[in-house]
Amino acid sequence: MELYQLRTFVTVADTGNLTQAAERLFTSQPAVSAHIKALEEELEVKLFDRTPKGMRLTESGTSLRDKAQLVINAGNELKLAAKTLQGEITGQAKVGLNTDAEYLLLAKWHNALMSEYPNLKIQLTQGTSIDLVQKVGKGQLDVSFFSGDIPYDKVSYVELCDTHAVIAAAPKWKEKLKRAGREELAQLPWIYPEPLCIYHRFLNLIFSDTKVQPSWATSSATEDSTIALLRSGIGLAFIRNDEADALLKKGEIVVWPGESFTLPLRMAYLESRKEDPVIKALLEIILKKFEKHKK
């Protein structure tokens, strides 16, 4: 088997679509199909079921997908090690972004990486913290920004900065928020975060001792959708204080005058790859930019 066949297998598994996989791999759909067929014949297992909705992993394919990624990672690490011996860092670095680019200082560290490591190409992926950390654990991302905790032993992280989260709502809730205690907050409608989001932990914390549990109005998995729902008056939600400040200036929200909650920003990476030159380069540059920003 060849590494390019394994890359094709993993890409089809991730996209579930031959056309999208071909686009990502900069090749043709027939070539993708040929790679998969050759790999299935060599491994003597069926990797995918072809369905009207696309390519679906079989039980065998699901079992082999992560193992294929490990082989790809090992090949990449071998190439990187060889380049490092020549004093050069090259290849592709996949970085996960869990929130807006400005907050993550994207332009600053991206420009610094391009300047210091011109042969290192950066590929960015947007998503929620928990999804991105899972991709780091599976080897689909090299590093990722996230907020909260990591439920995976093999994934480590570095601290970047702390900010705060506040409880916000549309202006129509101003008078109720002004005099609300925790019991009163629980009786108002809430925009629920996804279960593994750090904001969900904040909800459990603030209402752990109340007799009334918060009223569920709707749910949201992204910051953009949460803010849109907030502004429309659907309910209350946690948002970062820098997001709240901008919306307060426009008169689009109000903020509960009670406590705020510490919101850590961290960067995840595989513990087994901590000596990888690409990981070290990413962490060094990004940490440096956040340190300068704090000052």
Side-chain angles (χ1 to χ4, degrees), residues 79-93 113-114 116-122 275-282 284-285:
K79 291 179 181 178
L80 289 170
K83 290 295 183 182
T84 303
L85 291 174
Q86 302 170 24
E88 179 184 5
I89 294 181
T90 187
Q92 186 179 71
L113 279 166
M114 291 177 64
E116 191 159 344
Y117 305 105
N119 294 316
L120 183 64
K121 306 304 179 185
I122 309 299
E275 297 303 321
D276 184 317
V278 168
I279 301 297
K280 293 174 79 171
L282 288 167
E284 178 186 0
I285 293 290

Side-chain angles (χ1 to χ4, degrees), residues 37-207:
K37 182 180 179 181
L39 190 59
E40 287 180 326
E41 290 176 353
E42 182 170 352
L43 296 176
E44 298 182 346
V45 295
K46 187 178 181 182
L47 299 172
F48 294 97
D49 287 320
R50 278 74 170 172
T51 74
K53 293 184 179 180
M55 304 289 283
R56 184 177 62 201
L57 282 168
T58 63
E59 185 175 344
S60 297
T62 300
S63 176
L64 293 174
R65 185 249 173 260
D66 289 348
K67 292 180 174 61
Q69 184 69 63
L70 291 174
V71 175
I72 294 169
N73 291 345
N76 291 337
E77 288 170 13
L78 181 62
K79 291 179 181 178
L80 289 170
K83 290 295 183 182
T84 303
L85 291 174
Q86 302 170 24
E88 179 184 5
I89 294 181
T90 187
Q92 186 179 71
K94 299 178 181 180
V95 182
L97 309 177
N98 71 322
T99 187
D100 60 278
E102 184 177 357
Y103 179 66
L104 298 179
L105 309 182
L106 174 59
K108 293 182 178 180
W109 58 258
H110 193 284
N111 289 340
L113 279 166
M114 291 177 64
S115 176
E116 191 159 344
Y117 305 105
N119 294 316
L120 183 64
K121 306 304 179 185
I122 309 299
Q123 180 180 325
L124 304 174
T125 297
Q126 193 86 30
T128 62
S129 288
I130 188 63
D131 288 339
L132 293 170
V133 170
Q134 285 177 339
K135 288 182 177 181
V136 171
K138 291 179 178 180
Q140 295 171 289
L141 292 174
D142 295 298
V143 298
S144 181
F145 292 92
F146 75 101
S147 295
D149 301 318
I150 290 183
Y152 311 107
D153 293 338
K154 61 183 179 180
V155 178
S156 296
Y157 64 85
V158 293
E159 301 279 359
L160 297 176
C161 68
D162 280 342
T163 185
H164 291 85
V166 297
I167 295 173
K172 70 177 184 179
W173 302 104
K174 181 176 180 179
E175 291 305 315
K176 288 188 176 181
L177 282 188
K178 188 185 296 184
R179 55 179 181 270
R182 295 191 179 197
E183 294 283 349
E184 290 75 20
L185 283 180
Q187 296 174 34
L188 297 175
W190 277 83
I191 302 165
Y192 252 52
E194 60 179 3
L196 293 176
C197 175
I198 190 171
Y199 293 151
H200 199 277
R201 180 154 59 83
F202 292 163
L203 270 175
N204 292 336
L205 180 64
I206 195 170
F207 295 121

